[in-house]
Amino acid sequence: MALRLTVTEELPSDWESVTQHAAAPATRRWIQLGHDWLPGRLHTLALRDDDGECLAAIGAAVVEDPGARLRLNAHQVLSGGTAAMGLAAEGPYPWADTEHDEVFPSLLLMYPNYASFPVGPASRDRAVLKEFVARITDWARAQGLRSVSLLFLRASADPFIEELRSAGFDILELTQTCDLRVTWTDLDGYFLSLPSKRRVEARRELRMLEERGIELDARPLAAEEPEILDLRCQLAEKYDGVSDIERERRILNGLREHVAPEDLTVFTAGKDGTMLGFGLMVRDGEEWTAAIAGTNYRREESEFTYFANLYYQPAALASAHGVKTIGYGPGSWDAKRRRGCELSPLYAAGLLLG
């Protein structure tokens, strides 16, 4: 069987069939939501058979210069420049002695939502993956690129990781991602899944909200959400020192454009008609992804609404929505672990093409 690598800008027409059983970050709507967030032109690399059927594929960006976006800068990650951020904190750093011009322009194999893994019917077939890796590196060399890298590479892609290693890629643990596995049917069941000390704390947090007269709710995303925009800006100001309401508006409008209304659930906490906090979940099959959240930092009683909106309310309703996994991504590991999340490693991989 003759195989060929096809490289397209944007997504190929058969992407839905290729990713029908893939994890959320590889689906068309997630890529459409975040494609302009990648630090380079979006490409799709696919290994196809004689009939044009896709065996394995992966999203990518051709990166000339990632600028200040350290999390998406393979040179910084693989040389130790992100260790202070908790990314690849333990090393080793195979690119420690390299210069910027030895790495860029580069091919970054990754989806916009901090995830990298192959998709397709043969995405775990070692022989196919071996050929796929070889074709990818050959194509990158032919384009005059100086390196190939993968960031936020999922452990579930283990056969792919092994073929990358066999092809000479350096592999190192980058960080960990957090998922909540839903094994209960209601809030009491969720609480029982927690260690006893944490169970007491969670119940106390919800009781404090109730005593403050704070009401919790779950609803669809409305056509206009001025309070959500305000809370998003408050969060940005608190942690980044600056906010951009038009950027937040674009994010919400993108969710409305690319995600069906029935797949968007907004969890809110409010008092006397004022929203104190929210969390928005996007559903993909049996999975919820925590997409965005916000808190009203001008109101003292908003304390603990974040955890109610992102953990306790979704945990209570997940089973009724047919959800078996809630994905929270990397970061804030202790808070997520204390609320029942499992941690699994994410890897970085890189190959200098010389």
Side-chain angles (χ1 to χ4, degrees), residues 11 30 75-76 84 101 103 112 115 125 140 157 164 174 180 190 209 212 214 244 264 269 280 282 313 315 332 352:
L11 296 176
W30 279 105
H75 180 232
Q76 289 291 322
D101 290 345
V103 175
D125 184 302
L164 291 169
L174 179 60
L180 188 64
Y190 165 65
L209 294 179
R212 293 172 182 175
I214 294 172
D244 182 346
L264 294 171
L280 189 150
V282 177
Q313 288 204 81
S332 303
L352 295 172

Side-chain angles (χ1 to χ4, degrees), residues 176-189:
Q176 292 180 310
T177 191
C178 306
D179 295 295
L180 188 64
R181 309 296 180 189
V182 179
T183 59
W184 50 83
T185 58
D186 56 19
L187 185 61
D188 285 338

Side-chain angles (χ1 to χ4, degrees), residues 84-284:
M85 302 168 62
L87 295 178
E90 302 300 324
Y93 303 113
W95 292 2
D97 298 323
T98 62
E99 300 294 331
H100 180 277
D101 290 345
E102 296 177 69
V103 175
F104 297 101
S106 177
L107 180 65
L108 172 63
L109 303 172
M110 195 181 79
Y111 306 108
N113 199 32
Y114 290 109
S116 181
F117 51 89
V119 296
S123 58
R124 299 188 64 81
D125 184 302
R126 292 291 293 269
V128 169
L129 292 174
K130 182 181 183 67
E131 184 69 17
F132 192 31
V133 171
R135 296 294 183 97
I136 289 171
T137 54
D138 287 347
W139 181 84
R141 284 193 177 93
Q143 301 304 305
L145 304 181
R146 295 189 174 94
S147 67
V148 179
S149 62
L150 301 94
L151 299 179
F152 303 93
L153 183 58
R154 292 193 171 191
S156 59
D158 179 65
F160 188 51
I161 294 172
E162 289 307 309
E163 290 306 323
L164 291 169
R165 196 188 309 275
S166 296
F169 281 73
D170 292 298
I171 312 287
L172 68 157
E173 186 168 329
L174 179 60
T175 184
Q176 292 180 310
T177 191
C178 306
D179 295 295
L180 188 64
R181 309 296 180 189
V182 179
T183 59
W184 50 83
T185 58
D186 56 19
L187 185 61
D188 285 338
Y190 165 65
F191 284 150
L192 288 172
S193 75
L194 301 175
S196 58
K197 182 178 179 180
R198 181 58 216 145
R199 187 186 316 151
V200 170
E201 291 175 352
R203 284 177 167 152
R204 179 180 60 83
E205 290 172 4
L206 282 180
R207 187 168 60 253
M208 289 175 64
L209 294 179
E210 184 179 2
E211 290 170 353
R212 293 172 182 175
I214 294 172
E215 297 181 350
L216 304 180
D217 191 22
R219 59 171 176 78
L221 180 67
E224 295 292 334
E225 292 279 9
E227 286 187 292
I228 282 182
L229 291 174
D230 177 49
L231 268 56
R232 285 290 296 168
C233 287
Q234 287 191 49
L235 183 145
E237 288 169 4
K238 179 176 176 67
Y239 291 102
D240 300 330
V242 63
S243 64
D244 182 346
I245 193 169
E246 291 307 316
R247 176 181 180 275
E248 303 302 337
R249 196 187 311 277
R250 286 194 297 273
I251 290 172
L252 281 179
N253 287 339
L255 287 165
R256 293 187 184 99
E257 178 183 357
H258 297 298
V259 182
E262 61 270 21
D263 290 335
L264 294 171
T265 303
V266 182
F267 295 94
T268 66
K271 182 177 181 180
D272 300 330
T274 299
M275 187 184 295
L276 299 177
F278 81 92
L280 189 150
M281 294 283 173
V282 177
R283 179 179 172 178
D284 293 89

